[in-house]
Amino acid sequence: QVQLVESGGGLVQPGGSLRLSCAASGSIFSFNAMGWYRQAPGKQREPVANITSGGRTDYEESVKGRFTVSRDAAKNTVYLQMNSLKPEDTAVYYCNAVLKVIAVPFNFWGQGTQVTVSS
C-alpha cells in the first residue's frame, strides 16, 4: 500500500514562501515520477510540478521561476519550495506519485495540504 503524507501548508502573505513536503512509504525511486498538483475552489485539479526518477523536472507555466521541486532519496521525500507566492496560488496542494506497470500508469495521492496566500 502506497502512502503519501504531505505537510508544510499554511497561511502566508503575498510575496512570502512556503515549503511543502511529501513523505512516501517506500523508496521514491520506485516511482516513475512524483510531483504536485493543486486544486482551487471551483476549479479542476491541475499539475504544478513534477520530477521523474531520472531527475527531470517540469513546471506549470505560472509557477516557473518561483517554485522548485526537489527530492531527498534518503528520506523518501519530495519537496515543493514556493517563493514569491501570489493570492492565485491559494489552493489545496496534493502530492502525486506515478507507477507504471507494463506501461499502464497508476496514480497515488496524498490527502492534500491547504496553502492560503492572503494579506
Side-chain angles (χ1 to χ4, degrees):
Q1 181 75 8
V2 175
Q3 288 188 325
L4 303 173
V5 180
E6 301 108 330
S7 60
L11 172 64
V12 64
Q13 292 186 341
S17 298
L18 281 174
R19 188 177 79 158
L20 305 183
S21 300
C22 172
S25 56
S27 170
I28 60 175
F29 288 119
S30 64
F31 302 109
N32 296 88
M34 293 188 70
W36 297 89
Y37 283 64
R38 65 185 179 187
Q39 187 168 18
K43 294 188 177 181
Q44 289 191 333
R45 191 174 297 188
E46 63 175 5
V48 176
N50 72 72
I51 183 167
T52 69
S53 57
R56 188 189 74 190
T57 57
D58 286 302
Y59 297 92
E60 193 272 328
E61 194 64 34
S62 69
V63 308
K64 285 182 179 178
R66 300 190 297 124
F67 291 10
T68 303
V69 61
S70 63
R71 64 190 177 189
D72 185 335
K75 297 181 179 179
N76 292 327
T77 299
V78 174
Y79 303 98
L80 184 66
Q81 178 67 44
M82 305 185 294
N83 298 327
S84 302
L85 282 161
K86 304 175 181 180
E88 50 263 44
D89 295 317
T90 295
V92 177
Y93 283 71
Y94 295 91
C95 181
N96 167 261
V98 180
L99 177 64
K100 290 185 179 179
V101 180
I102 315 178
V104 176
F106 291 86
N107 281 279
F108 301 92
W109 298 94
Q111 81 285 358
T113 185
Q114 177 70 46
V115 171
T116 302
V117 184
S118 175
S119 56

